[in-house]
């Protein structure tokens, strides 16, 4: 049952309502539902979008780097890249420094789809964080990056 006056679920009053892990999990779960609904229009899901985003970044990520950064099993990344490659959105190329490494790069079509999907996800994020000001949303991102990777950047 939801407290309609404040929008806070009744069970949030329990001690677990302050548990960072639960709060992050709930925020992600609700965001993933919004994101996957929007990404469906482009034949993508969150994980494939993440891979496409990194392929569009011009950082030249390897499959191993993708797996590590996205906290996915390498076999999951292979499957995601296979699907994106089959659709003509990314290509595997040989690494410049390590010829055994497979670099994942976007194609022109991948960049086109990514631009449209990125706009749709920005709208989803704006909807999900509507209770926050732009400054608060920026601070949330900063705090999450700091919690994950430390530093002050």
């Amino acid at each position: 049952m939801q407290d309609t006056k404040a929008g806070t679920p009744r069970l949030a009053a329990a001690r677990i309502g302050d548990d960072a892990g639960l709060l992050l999990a709930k925020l992600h779960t609700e965001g993933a539902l919004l994101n996957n609904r929007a990404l469906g229009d482009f034949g993508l899901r969150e994980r494939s979008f993440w891979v496409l985003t990194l392929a569009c970044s011009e950082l030249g990520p390897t499959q191993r780097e993708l797996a590590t950064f996205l906290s996915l099993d390498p076999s999951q990344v292979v499957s995601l890249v296979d699907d994106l490659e089959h659709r003509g959105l990314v290509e595997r190329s040989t690494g410049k420094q390590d010829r055994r490494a497979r670099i994942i790069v976007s194609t022109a079509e991948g960049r086109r789809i990514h631009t449209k999907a990125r706009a749709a996800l920005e709208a989803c994020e704006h909807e999900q964080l509507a209770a926050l000001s732009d400054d608060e949303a920026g601070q949330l991102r900063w705090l999450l990056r700091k919690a994950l990777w430390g530093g002050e950047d």
Side-chain angles (χ1 to χ4, degrees):
M1 170 163 31
Q2 182 110 350
D3 175 353
T4 55
K5 182 178 177 188
T8 304
R10 183 178 70 82
L11 296 180
R15 185 173 179 180
I16 197 168
D18 282 333
D19 182 87
L22 173 71
L23 295 171
L24 288 168
K26 287 187 65 53
L27 187 66
H28 176 260
T29 298
E30 292 174 12
L33 291 172
L34 287 172
N35 292 344
N36 283 328
R37 193 174 311 124
L39 288 169
D41 293 341
F42 306 98
L44 299 169
R45 296 192 49 82
E46 267 192 336
R47 289 179 175 183
S48 56
F49 176 78
W50 297 339
V51 170
L52 182 58
T53 296
L54 290 165
C56 288
S57 72
E58 301 195 18
L59 293 172
T62 64
Q63 289 183 167
R64 183 177 306 275
E65 287 175 314
L66 291 170
T68 299
F69 184 75
L70 298 174
S71 300
L72 298 174
D73 186 88
S75 66
Q76 292 173 301
V77 171
V78 168
S79 179
L80 292 165
V81 172
D82 284 349
D83 180 60
L84 292 170
E85 188 175 43
H86 177 75
R87 294 184 52 205
L89 303 180
V90 301
E91 296 173 341
R92 289 176 168 98
S93 66
T94 304
K96 293 175 182 152
Q97 295 176 346
D98 180 356
R99 300 202 46 80
R100 294 170 296 172
R102 304 303 288 167
I103 305 298
I104 309 305
V105 295
S106 62
T107 63
E109 177 65 4
R111 289 185 296 280
R112 187 185 74 75
I113 293 292
H114 179 263
T115 297
K116 291 180 178 185
R118 173 85 257 159
L121 285 195
E122 286 173 5
C124 289
E125 183 176 284
H126 183 73
E127 178 183 339
Q128 187 178 28
L129 301 179
L132 303 179
S133 69
D134 288 345
D135 286 345
E136 289 169 330
Q139 184 177 24
L140 174 63
R141 286 184 204 88
W142 180 83
L143 289 168
L144 291 170
R145 284 190 306 271
K146 185 175 181 180
L148 284 168
W149 302 304
E152 296 290 326
D153 45 338

